[in-house]
Amino acid sequence: MKINYEILKKSPLFNGISTTELQSMLACLSATHKSYKKDEFIFYSGDTINQVGMVLSGGVHILKEDFWGNRTIIAKIEPGDMFGETYACVKSIPIEVSVLCSENTDILFMDINKIMETCDSKCGFHYKLIQNLLFVFAQKNLMLTKKMSHTTQRSTREKLLSYLSAESIAHNSHSFKIPFNRQQLADYLSVDRSAMSNELSKLQKEGILTYEKNHFTLID
Amino acid sequence: MKINYEILKKSPLFNGISTTELQSMLACLSATHKSYKKDEFIFYSGDTINQVGMVLSGGVHILKEDFWGNRTIIAKIEPGDMFGETYACVKSIPIEVSVLCSENTDILFMDINKIMETCDSKCGFHYKLIQNLLFVFAQKNLMLTKKMSHTTQRSTREKLLSYLSAESIAHNSHSFKIPFNRQQLADYLSVDRSAMSNELSKLQKEGILTYEKNHFTLID
DNA sequence: GTAATACCGTTGTTTTTACAACAGAAAGGC
DNA sequence: GCCTTTCTGTTGTAAAAACAACGGTATTAC
C-alpha cells in the first residue's frame, strides 16, 4: 500500500507541513502502516502502547466496555484524525479504552516519543509538530466536552435532541446524515437501543423530527 | 496579595521552571491576580475569553447548565491547576461552560496568546512551557475520560460504585474523603440528589460501604 | 434465488429514576 | 444562647428506562 500524502497534509497534526518535509518526518517518526478488517481491534483496554495511530482510510471507534459488557463509544475517529496521543504525554500507564475498526481501515503508526522529544537539530519541524499536537488535544477536549453535554442530559429524549440539534448545527442544515447506526448511536449516548428506537418513534409521531435510516430532519 | 510562588512551581504548567525564570515569565504572560468569594462566577457560558486562569488558593467548578437549569459539574479545579486553556488553542469560540468558585478563591490570570506564540528570543522558556501545556492537556483528557466512565454507567448505583471505587484506588485506601457534598456529587454524576441519597442508604444497608458526611469506606 | 445474518421498530413487564415534599441534623450568623 | 439557613436522608408517586422477546425488512453470502 502506498501512503496517501494528501490525507496526511490535510490532517491537523501535519497542518502547514510540506510534502518534502513530511517524507523525512515520517522516517524520523518511525512511521509504519497496517491494514485492518472491519470489527478488528487495534488496541485493547489494558494495553500499554508506545505508538500513536492516524486513520488513513476507513474509521475506528474509541470505546469503553465495563465489567458487564456494556459498551460506550467515546469517539469516532475519521481519516486524518489520531488516537492514542494522550499516552504520548502521560507515559507508561495502560490505556483505559479499546480501539475498534468500524470498517476496513488503514492506520499509520508513529513513535510517540519521537514526537515529544526534541531530536537532533536536523529535524527543525518539532516545534511546529508540537504546536499542531496542542491543537489536536484542544479539539479532542472540546469533543469530549461536547459528548458529555449530550450524555449528561437526564432522559433519552433529551439526549437525542441534544445530539441531533448539535449535529444539525454542525451540518448547518435541518437535514443531515449521522455517522452511526442505531446500536452505535445508543452506545454513543449511553442508552438502551430499543428504548431509544421507541423514543425516536414518539418524536416522529409528535412531528418534532423525521428520519429514514441514518438520515434525520429536524422540524421547527 | 502576594503571589505564592511555591504553588506555581508545583503546578503542572510551570513544572521544572525556576523561581527567577518564573518571575520574568509572569511579566511576559501579562499575569494578574484577583480574589473571588464563594459562589461567585468567574466566567459565564457564552463568554469569549482571552485569558487562562490558574487557581492559587480555594477551588472552582467547571460546570454546564442546560436550558432547564440542570447543572453538571464537569470538573473540580484545585490549587495549581488551570482552566480555560482549551481556548488558548482554539481561538475565538465562546466557552460552553461556566466557572464557579466553590469557595473563596484566588486566581492568577495569564494571556493565552503569549503562551502559544513564540515571542522574542529573549524568552527562552516557551518551548518548556508548551511541553508542559501538552502534559496539562493530556491530563485533562484523561480526567474527562475518567468522568465519562462514571457517567456512562446505566444506573445510579453503578455510577456511585464506579466513582467511589475509582476514588478508593486513587487514594490507595478503602477509606477516603471525597471533595463533594451530596448535591455536588449528584451534579458530578448527573443524577438526582435524593435518588442518589436513597441509593447510598441502600448500599450501606447491604453492607457494601459505610459513610459519614463525605468520608466513605468501601467494604470487601 | 435462497438462506443466513444484521438491523430496526414495537410491545409488554419489571426495575429504576425523577420529582416533590418533608423532617431532622448540622452549620453559620448575631 | 437562639434563629436562620443549608445539608442530608426518607418516603410515596408518577414517569421513564432497561430488558427481553419478536417480527419485519434490508443486506450479505453462497
Side-chain angles (χ1 to χ4, degrees):
Chain A
M1 196 199 93
K2 203 90 179 87
I3 289 181
N4 180 348
Y5 285 103
E6 289 311 307
I7 288 286
L8 293 184
K9 283 175 70 179
K10 281 184 198 153
S11 72
L13 182 65
F14 295 120
N15 179 39
I17 289 173
S18 71
T19 306
T20 46
E21 279 178 314
L22 200 49
Q23 288 172 328
S24 67
M25 208 177 275
L26 289 181
C28 180
L29 298 175
S30 308
T32 58
H33 54 82
K34 191 171 170 189
S35 297
Y36 292 87
K37 294 282 179 199
K38 179 178 178 180
D39 291 333
E40 234 182 307
F41 278 90
I42 298 176
F43 293 142
Y44 284 101
S45 176
D47 288 353
T48 303
I49 64 178
N50 49 20
Q51 292 187 308
V52 293
M54 181 182 286
V55 175
L56 297 175
S57 69
V60 304
H61 285 175
I62 311 297
L63 48 89
K64 192 154 189 117
E65 288 175 296
D66 68 14
F67 186 75
W68 299 272
N70 283 317
R71 178 177 284 187
T72 302
I73 298 178
I74 304 279
K76 183 176 170 71
I77 310 287
E78 318 221 313
D81 289 333
M82 306 166 61
F83 56 91
E85 72 282 354
T86 302
Y87 302 90
C89 300
V90 182
K91 296 193 175 95
S92 68
I93 64 172
I95 63 174
E96 296 161 344
V97 294
S98 299
V99 180
L100 172 68
C101 295
S102 58
E103 48 199 301
N104 291 343
T105 298
D106 291 312
I107 303 291
L108 181 76
F109 289 104
M110 292 167 280
D111 188 326
I112 56 175
N113 296 312
K114 299 274 176 60
I115 297 182
M116 288 299 295
E117 290 164 9
T118 334
C119 79
D120 318 16
S121 55
K122 63 179 174 181
C123 295
F125 54 75
H126 265 109
Y127 191 77
K128 179 67 180 164
L129 200 60
I130 288 185
Q131 276 201 323
N132 283 348
L133 193 54
L134 266 178
F135 187 76
V136 168
F137 267 112
Q139 289 287 357
K140 201 149 271 194
N141 256 327
L142 286 177
M143 194 193 63
L144 288 171
T145 306
K146 182 175 153 194
K147 172 175 156 57
M148 214 174 295
S149 75
H150 306 319
T151 53
T152 55
Q153 298 292 323
R154 295 304 210 280
S155 68
T156 299
R157 167 174 291 230
E158 282 164 12
K159 288 178 190 178
L160 277 169
L161 290 177
S162 172
Y163 171 73
L164 291 172
S165 63
E167 283 295 297
S168 168
I169 291 168
H171 286 85
N172 205 24
S173 163
H174 286 200
S175 205
F176 52 90
K177 276 194 172 182
I178 66 170
F180 295 128
N181 66 26
R182 291 291 180 278
Q183 183 62 60
Q184 290 169 343
L185 180 57
D187 287 344
Y188 181 77
L189 297 178
S190 291
V191 296
D192 178 73
R193 181 197 61 79
S194 70
M196 189 191 74
S197 258
N198 196 343
E199 200 63 40
L200 278 173
S201 303
K202 286 188 200 166
L203 286 167
Q204 185 157 239
K205 276 181 197 134
E206 293 173 26
I208 295 169
L209 51 78
T210 63
Y211 58 90
E212 195 195 333
K213 300 184 71 173
N214 58 346
H215 189 136
F216 287 78
T217 305
L218 302 186
I219 299 165
D220 283 325
Chain B
M1 197 199 93
K2 202 93 180 84
I3 289 180
N4 180 348
Y5 285 104
E6 288 312 305
I7 288 287
L8 292 184
K9 282 174 72 179
K10 281 185 198 152
S11 73
L13 182 65
F14 295 120
N15 179 40
I17 289 173
S18 71
T19 306
T20 47
E21 279 179 316
L22 200 49
Q23 287 174 328
S24 67
M25 207 178 274
L26 290 181
C28 179
L29 296 175
S30 308
T32 57
H33 55 83
K34 192 172 169 188
S35 297
Y36 292 86
K37 294 280 179 201
K38 179 179 178 181
D39 292 332
E40 236 184 304
F41 277 90
I42 298 176
F43 294 142
Y44 284 101
S45 175
D47 287 353
T48 303
I49 64 178
N50 50 20
Q51 291 186 308
V52 292
M54 181 182 286
V55 176
L56 297 176
S57 69
V60 303
H61 286 175
I62 310 298
L63 48 91
K64 192 152 191 121
E65 288 175 296
D66 69 13
F67 186 76
W68 299 272
N70 285 316
R71 176 177 284 187
T72 302
I73 298 179
I74 304 281
K76 182 176 172 69
I77 311 287
E78 317 221 315
D81 289 332
M82 307 167 60
F83 56 92
E85 73 282 353
T86 303
Y87 301 90
C89 299
V90 182
K91 296 194 173 93
S92 70
I93 63 172
I95 63 174
E96 295 161 345
V97 294
S98 299
V99 181
L100 173 67
C101 295
S102 57
E103 47 199 301
N104 290 343
T105 298
D106 290 312
I107 303 291
L108 181 77
F109 289 104
M110 292 167 280
D111 188 326
I112 55 176
N113 297 311
K114 300 271 177 60
I115 297 182
M116 289 299 295
E117 290 164 10
T118 334
C119 77
D120 319 17
S121 55
K122 62 179 174 179
C123 296
F125 55 75
H126 265 108
Y127 191 78
K128 179 66 180 165
L129 201 61
I130 288 185
Q131 276 201 323
N132 283 348
L133 193 54
L134 266 178
F135 187 76
V136 169
F137 268 112
Q139 290 287 357
K140 202 150 270 197
N141 255 326
L142 287 178
M143 193 193 62
L144 288 171
T145 306
K146 182 176 153 194
K147 173 175 155 58
M148 213 173 296
S149 75
H150 306 319
T151 55
T152 54
Q153 298 293 323
R154 295 303 209 275
S155 67
T156 299
R157 166 174 294 232
E158 282 163 11
K159 288 178 190 177
L160 277 169
L161 290 178
S162 171
Y163 171 73
L164 292 173
S165 63
E167 283 294 297
S168 168
I169 291 169
H171 286 84
N172 204 25
S173 164
H174 285 201
S175 205
F176 52 90
K177 275 193 173 183
I178 66 170
F180 295 127
N181 65 26
R182 291 290 181 279
Q183 183 61 59
Q184 290 169 343
L185 179 57
D187 287 344
Y188 181 77
L189 297 177
S190 289
V191 296
D192 178 74
R193 181 197 61 79
S194 70
M196 189 191 74
S197 257
N198 197 343
E199 200 62 41
L200 278 174
S201 302
K202 286 189 201 165
L203 286 167
Q204 184 157 237
K205 276 181 198 135
E206 293 173 26
I208 296 170
L209 51 78
T210 62
Y211 58 91
E212 194 195 333
K213 301 184 69 173
N214 58 347
H215 189 136
F216 288 77
T217 304
L218 302 187
I219 299 165
D220 282 324

